[in-house]
């Protein structure tokens, strides 16, 4: 194709041209293989003075030793040869060799078929090779490899025979255990695909934060630990989560009203855990954990479920107003955020827009634990008062990263 034809070609024509060229290139590679096999059977030393066909090809093609050896090994499998004493050596996969010369097989496909054929007992070779080649004409090499595994298992009764044509279910294991210290240990093994997805998810959440607080000093391990916690929040916030007994999955935390108000004391978390009341106060802020608030005699107190739960319309209003974590300089989008009650509901704070701020888990925690304070300014938007050690005058700061630009685009 000259450059003008390329320029005019549509998608089908471009793909067709690639297929045609692949056939030519594959066919040429197969022919190179048959020539190397011929050279080898005549004697490389006699013909060229080289010790082996691989060494010769290494120099002819200017490729690595390993690459040259792979090419020669493939050539031997596809083409018949001779021993030094003249006795013939049959090809491992002669029909595959013929198909390769036509340019019909990719290199991984050839290697897959050869890999199966060297394990097939001689009496079954012809049948098995025909089967694999037929399948290869309509499937990719990975499927052919799966078929090969099934055939080998069938021919070898000692091996385990898979019970279905389905590709093997990927093996995944996970254990999550709470130790007596209250620290949880996570251990697992995943297939490549799951691992890759998990890594992509955590990478996206573990990026360094740059905000007004200064540089992000967390170690990579700490960032990934925080990312894992954020990923769990994201999943728990998802409306796709399966219901449990008609409710969204949640974790119960039992805490006395007095402890929840003061933030002093301990709370019982789920079936096993405990957490500080201060921690329970943070989680209870957006009802991420549903608190069973206990009265003086440990009987559950109904504080008005509706009153503290942030309804969907209210959450949307909060998303619209804050458009992400409201903390100065934070980039986190709304779906990573929780609603913070400026005046905690346990202290009688109402669950309404004027008493709520959208915050990412990290800044939510920071707000509960540090000298930062938040309030809603006269214009209805949240603003943050830095702790005295950062700014003696405590001049309010805002996050303007999510707000529309003050001029028309
Ligand atoms: Zn809060
Ligand atoms: Zn934030």
């Amino acid at each position: 194709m000259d450059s003008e034809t390329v320029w005019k070609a549509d998608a089908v024509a471009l793909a067709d041209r690639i297929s045609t060229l692949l056939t030519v290139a594959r066919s040429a590679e197969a022919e190179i293989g048959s020539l190397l096999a011929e050279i080898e059977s005549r004697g490389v030393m006699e013909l060229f003075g080289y010790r082996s066909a691989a060494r010769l090809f290494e120099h002819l093609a200017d490729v690595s030793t390993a690459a040259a050896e792979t090419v020669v090994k493939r050539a031997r499998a596809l083409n018949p040869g001779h021993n030094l004493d003249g006795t013939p050596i049959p090809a491992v996969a002669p029909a595959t060799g013929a198909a390769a010369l036509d340019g019909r097989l990719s290199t991984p496909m050839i290697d897959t078929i050869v890999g199966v054929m060297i394990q097939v007992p001689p009496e079954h070779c012809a049948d098995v090779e025909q089967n694999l080649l037929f399948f290869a004409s309509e499937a990719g090499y990975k499927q052919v490899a799966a078929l090969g595994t099934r055939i080998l298992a069938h021919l070898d009764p000692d091996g385990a025979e898979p019970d279905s044509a389905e590709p093997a279910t990927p093996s995944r294991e996970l254990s999550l255990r709470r130790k007596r210290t209250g620290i949880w240990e996570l251990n697992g093994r995943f297939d490549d695909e799951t691992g890759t997805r998990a890594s992509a998810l955590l990478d996206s959440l573990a990026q360094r934060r740059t905000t007004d607080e200064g540089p992000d000093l967390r170690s990579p391990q700490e960032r990934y630990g925080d990312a894992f916690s954020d990923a769990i929040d994201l999943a728990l916030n998802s409306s796709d989560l399966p219901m449990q007994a008609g409710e969204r999955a949640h974790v119960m935390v039992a805490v006395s009203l007095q402890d929840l108000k003061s933030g002093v004391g301990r709370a019982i978390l789920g079936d096993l855990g405990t957490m500080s009341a201060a921690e329970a106060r943070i989680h209870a802020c957006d009802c991420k954990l549903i608190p069973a608030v206990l009265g003086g005699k440990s009987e559950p107190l109904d504080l008005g479920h509706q009153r503290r739960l942030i309804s969907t319309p209210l959450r949307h209003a909060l998303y619209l107003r804050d458009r992400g974590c409201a903390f100065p300089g934070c980039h986190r989008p709304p779906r990573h955020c929780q609603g913070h009650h400026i005046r905690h509901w346990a202290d009688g704070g109402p669950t309404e827009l004027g008493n709520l701020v959208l915050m990412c888990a990290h800044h939510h925690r920071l707000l509960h634990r540090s000298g930062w304070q938040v309030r809603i300014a006269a214009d209805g938007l949240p603003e943050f008062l830095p702790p005295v050690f950062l700014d003696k005058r405590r001049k309010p700061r805002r996050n303007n990263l999510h707000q529309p630009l003050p001029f028309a685009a």
Side-chain angles (χ1 to χ4, degrees):
M1 260 185 176
D2 57 45
S3 55
E4 200 189 329
T5 326
V6 170
W7 178 69
K8 285 181 179 163
D10 63 5
V12 176
L14 292 171
D16 270 356
R17 183 65 183 153
I18 290 179
S19 294
T20 308
L21 290 175
L22 275 176
T23 307
V24 174
R26 288 166 179 175
S27 168
E29 271 178 41
E31 192 177 340
I32 290 172
S34 66
L35 294 174
L36 287 172
E38 175 67 21
I39 288 170
E40 200 166 48
S41 70
R42 285 200 213 167
V44 194
M45 188 60 96
E46 289 77 359
L47 284 181
F48 296 97
Y50 275 77
R51 266 195 298 124
S52 71
R55 278 297 151 86
L56 172 68
F57 189 63
E58 188 184 333
H59 281 175
L60 275 177
D62 192 22
V63 292
S64 71
T65 311
E69 272 162 7
T70 307
V71 168
V72 170
K73 208 174 135 205
R74 191 177 298 128
R76 277 189 208 127
L78 298 185
N79 299 277
H82 295 278
N83 276 322
L84 287 178
D85 61 7
T87 50
I89 313 169
V92 174
T96 307
L101 277 171
D102 291 344
R104 286 189 273 136
L105 306 174
S106 72
T107 311
M109 181 66 88
I110 294 169
D111 292 348
T112 299
I113 296 177
V114 168
V116 175
M117 292 308 298
I118 51 178
Q119 301 176 66
V120 173
E123 66 272 26
H124 296 295
C125 274
D127 281 352
V128 170
E129 193 179 11
Q130 281 313 317
N131 244 297
L132 291 171
L133 280 173
F134 178 74
F135 200 55
S137 63
E138 40 195 50
Y141 74 92
K142 285 181 185 162
Q143 284 137 293
V144 172
L147 174 70
T149 308
R150 277 181 61 213
I151 292 176
L152 289 174
H154 181 73
L155 293 176
D156 173 18
D158 294 338
E161 187 172 345
D163 51 6
S164 82
E166 296 299 311
T169 311
S171 88
R172 302 171 191 145
E173 290 169 18
L174 185 79
S175 79
L176 181 62
R177 282 186 311 127
R178 181 178 185 274
K179 306 201 341 185
R180 263 185 311 175
T181 51
I183 298 294
W184 290 67
E185 244 180 33
L186 177 71
N187 255 301
R189 300 156 65 87
F190 301 102
D191 57 290
D192 208 10
E193 193 256 330
T194 306
T196 310
R197 280 191 294 138
S199 166
L201 171 68
L202 294 177
D203 283 351
S204 72
L205 294 171
Q207 286 166 22
R208 285 208 164 72
R209 303 184 179 114
T210 45
T211 64
D212 287 7
E213 306 150 59
D216 188 344
L217 299 174
R218 293 173 301 160
S219 70
Q221 288 77 9
E222 286 167 334
R223 284 190 287 116
Y224 277 82
D226 289 348
F228 184 74
S229 173
D230 287 353
I232 288 169
D233 278 351
L234 272 178
L236 284 174
N237 281 339
S238 153
S239 51
D240 296 336
L241 204 67
M243 296 281 185
Q244 283 185 340
E247 289 210 56
R248 297 269 296 279
H250 60 244
V251 179
M252 267 294 184
V253 50
V255 61
S256 81
L257 183 56
Q258 197 191 342
D259 287 355
L260 189 62
K261 279 183 171 173
S262 63
V264 179
R266 298 208 61 82
I268 310 290
L269 177 68
D271 299 332
L272 314 157
T274 62
M275 65 176 11
S276 71
E279 192 79 9
R281 205 174 144 86
I282 299 176
H283 292 300
C285 203
D286 190 13
C287 293
K288 207 165 62 158
L289 304 181
I290 309 290
V293 182
L294 306 173
K297 291 181 184 132
S298 285
E299 79 278 21
L301 281 184
D302 183 16
L303 271 187
H305 202 58
Q306 291 306 321
R307 208 183 72 207
R308 62 183 194 236
L309 218 58
I310 304 177
S311 67
T312 309
L314 179 56
R315 200 172 288 273
H316 283 162
L318 196 56
Y319 282 7
L320 272 176
R321 189 196 68 194
D322 294 348
R323 295 159 187 264
C325 175
F327 196 85
C330 184
H331 286 85
R332 296 267 163 151
R335 65 176 187 287
H336 289 207
C337 294
Q338 353 183 307
H340 165 70
H341 282 73
I342 296 175
R343 191 165 159 234
H344 205 284
W345 57 261
D347 303 323
T351 300
E352 59 186 35
L353 201 54
N355 190 42
L356 289 169
V357 185
L358 207 53
M359 306 208 71
C360 73
H362 168 70
H363 288 122
H364 190 194
R365 223 161 253 277
L366 182 77
L367 187 69
H368 274 259
R369 286 182 177 165
S370 68
W372 282 89
Q373 277 177 335
V374 63
R375 68 183 182 202
I376 303 291
D379 62 358
L381 294 178
E383 58 183 25
F384 291 77
L385 308 174
V388 182
F389 69 85
L390 277 181
D391 175 6
K392 281 199 186 65
R393 291 176 305 132
R394 306 199 73 196
K395 195 164 163 266
R397 300 183 191 181
R398 292 187 178 202
N399 190 359
N400 45 21
L401 290 175
H402 309 294
Q403 299 302 332
L405 294 172
F407 46 84

